[in-house]
Amino acid sequence: MVVLSKQAIEQFSLIRNCMPTTLFSGIPLIDLSKPDCKHLLVEACQEFGFFKVINHGVPMEFINQLEAEAINFFSLPLSEKEKTGPPAPFGYGNKKIGPNGDVGWVEYLLLKTNPESNSQSFVSNFGENPDKFCAAISDYISAVKRMACEVLELMADGLKIQPRNAFSKLLMDEESDSLFRLNHYPPCPELQALNGRDMIGFGEHTDPQIISVLRSNNTSGLQISLRDGNWISVPPDQNSFFINVGDSLQVMTNGRFQSVRHRVLTNSCQSRHSMIYFGGPPLSEKIAPLPSIMEGGESLYKEFTWFEYKKTAYSSKLADNRLGHFEKIAAS
Ligand SMILES: C=C1C[C@]23C[C@@]1(O)CC[C@H]2[C@@]12CC[C@H](O)[C@@](C)(C(=O)O1)[C@H]2[C@@H]3C(=O)O
Ligand SMILES: O=C(O)CCC(=O)C(=O)O
Ligand SMILES: [Fe+2]
């Protein structure tokens, strides 16, 4: 890992951490094998827009295989990894996040989940054994997508929405615009000298899609913002998945569920590896509150398609309140 001067570090966003980073023990824990979990899911989405799932049914073998492939890929020389970049918007990226000047202490691979959309030349540069890497990605995505759909159907049940596949059918659609991301946050030992300050690995934001399913190794760093604006640190758990409500699910539930603001802080001594599936609708899909959620009430949002929302998202900075443009009453 490169050794950074103080000036170099200060190019990245540093935040003053007023409180020592304690791990928060109140993250809702949902056991998907329990018959009453739909009610807990609804509560968690209303209160936090975030929860952890266990008994998820994703084989540990798929998780471990992909983690091993990701570790191999990120340990290649930069020149090798860059053959898969730049991320415009898909491929290998290093420090630059998105097209609008955001940076973080992170390197990543960003992909479409539909394998045909990742052009052959791009995928053929996937490290030393591209076929093995692609197979690990594909096994993992299929299993996680299945679990994400089950969670969305339980949410629909909990909200008494009919049909119960009202959300999940958007991920199952052949045209679904879902993404997959492998993130690597290298350790930054120089941080220890900057007592009391943390560096941003991935800046604060909400995910624009319907649902995000995140798995990381046992390195801390992920934080979520509570409704009162305080940031809390999520205890890492390599055997479970963390689920985020995305902006689109907020709109489809007419604000009953709220997308969660989250960020990642750099760890001074350990590498963090994360893998995130972003379940999105087809580009032409109209994103609007479901009729059975409205019960005759008014939509809080102007009408838009996922294509229109994505266009706005990709012209925004990471931390922007993207949904603000689509609220009927402007956000204060
Ligand atoms: C700064 C940006 C990066 C991002 C596209 C955007 O313009 C605003 C949303 C960002 C985000 C956050 C969640 C996901 O990581 C992501 C892939 C997405 O769909 O929206 C990223 C985009 C990105 O990294 O390209
Ligand atoms: O890497 C992580 O733990 C979270 C990253 C994230 O929020 C994202 O890629 O959208
Ligand atoms: Fe995110």
Side-chain angles (χ1 to χ4, degrees), residues 181 183 185 202 205 207 214 262 264 272 274 276 278:
R181 174 168 212 140
N183 288 331
Y185 302 88
F202 202 113
H205 65 283
D207 293 345
L214 182 150
H262 55 287
V264 179
R272 173 177 168 90
S274 61
I276 308 117
F278 302 95

XYZ file of all heavy atoms in Angstrom, residues 181 183 185 202 205 207 214 262 264 272 274 276 278, ligand 2:
131
model
N -21.634 -4.276 -7.233
C -20.414 -3.525 -6.949
C -19.536 -4.283 -5.975
O -20.026 -4.806 -4.966
C -20.867 -2.205 -6.349
C -19.798 -1.322 -5.859
C -20.335 0.075 -5.548
N -19.257 0.976 -5.827
C -19.365 2.146 -6.401
N -20.526 2.619 -6.754
N -18.293 2.871 -6.615
N -16.374 -3.466 -3.608
C -15.572 -2.351 -3.091
C -14.410 -2.884 -2.273
O -14.569 -3.845 -1.511
C -16.416 -1.452 -2.172
C -17.436 -0.605 -2.930
O -17.222 -0.242 -4.085
N -18.542 -0.298 -2.281
N -11.607 -1.183 0.400
C -11.127 -0.005 1.115
C -9.788 -0.377 1.738
O -9.757 -1.074 2.768
C -12.102 0.380 2.230
C -13.512 0.673 1.734
C -14.453 -0.356 1.603
C -13.901 1.960 1.383
C -15.741 -0.092 1.142
C -15.195 2.220 0.920
C -16.096 1.196 0.809
O -17.368 1.446 0.361
N -16.204 6.057 1.485
C -17.303 6.237 0.511
C -18.248 7.240 1.166
O -18.789 6.989 2.243
C -17.995 4.886 0.262
C -18.746 4.794 -1.051
C -18.314 3.936 -2.054
C -19.880 5.552 -1.279
C -18.989 3.830 -3.268
C -20.570 5.460 -2.492
C -20.120 4.606 -3.483
N -24.570 9.085 1.287
C -25.514 9.063 0.167
C -26.668 8.129 0.497
O -26.589 7.335 1.442
C -24.833 8.560 -1.117
C -24.385 7.129 -1.020
N -23.255 6.741 -0.338
C -24.920 5.974 -1.497
C -23.122 5.437 -0.404
N -24.125 4.936 -1.089
N -29.001 5.148 -1.655
C -28.923 4.383 -2.904
C -30.197 4.663 -3.704
O -31.299 4.610 -3.160
C -28.794 2.871 -2.609
C -27.469 2.537 -1.941
O -26.553 3.384 -1.952
O -27.344 1.417 -1.388
N -26.063 -5.791 1.039
C -24.626 -5.586 1.260
C -24.040 -6.688 2.136
O -24.624 -7.051 3.152
C -24.452 -4.237 1.944
C -23.048 -3.725 2.270
C -23.036 -2.207 2.239
C -22.507 -4.220 3.593
N -26.127 6.573 4.238
C -25.029 5.778 4.796
C -23.708 6.220 4.193
O -23.681 6.956 3.195
C -25.287 4.273 4.553
C -25.524 3.905 3.124
N -26.697 4.207 2.442
C -24.733 3.281 2.209
C -26.614 3.778 1.196
N -25.416 3.213 1.025
N -19.069 5.152 4.377
C -18.052 4.225 4.895
C -16.834 5.032 5.318
O -16.358 5.896 4.562
C -17.650 3.169 3.830
C -16.568 2.238 4.372
C -18.867 2.351 3.393
N -11.136 -3.336 4.110
C -12.559 -3.704 4.098
C -12.929 -4.108 2.675
O -12.572 -3.415 1.710
C -13.404 -2.497 4.535
C -14.907 -2.714 4.398
C -15.697 -1.512 4.903
N -17.088 -1.605 4.509
C -18.049 -2.198 5.224
N -17.750 -2.749 6.393
N -19.284 -2.230 4.792
N -16.325 -5.173 0.434
C -17.781 -5.300 0.475
C -18.292 -5.653 -0.914
O -17.614 -5.407 -1.923
C -18.427 -4.006 0.974
O -18.122 -2.951 0.109
N -22.033 -5.438 -3.079
C -23.396 -4.904 -2.951
C -24.179 -5.161 -4.235
O -23.723 -4.818 -5.325
C -23.393 -3.384 -2.667
C -22.494 -3.069 -1.471
C -24.805 -2.869 -2.353
C -21.350 -2.227 -1.793
N -27.505 -4.026 -6.104
C -28.483 -2.937 -6.125
C -29.637 -3.367 -7.019
O -29.493 -3.414 -8.256
C -27.873 -1.661 -6.710
C -26.642 -1.170 -5.969
C -25.368 -1.512 -6.402
C -26.765 -0.373 -4.831
C -24.239 -1.065 -5.736
C -25.635 0.083 -4.150
C -24.364 -0.276 -4.603
O -18.902 -0.583 0.719
C -19.808 -0.426 1.528
O -19.830 -0.974 2.608
C -20.960 0.501 1.171
C -20.802 1.098 -0.203
C -22.024 1.775 -0.696
O -22.796 2.291 0.061
C -22.281 1.791 -2.138
O -21.445 1.263 -2.904
O -23.336 2.324 -2.531
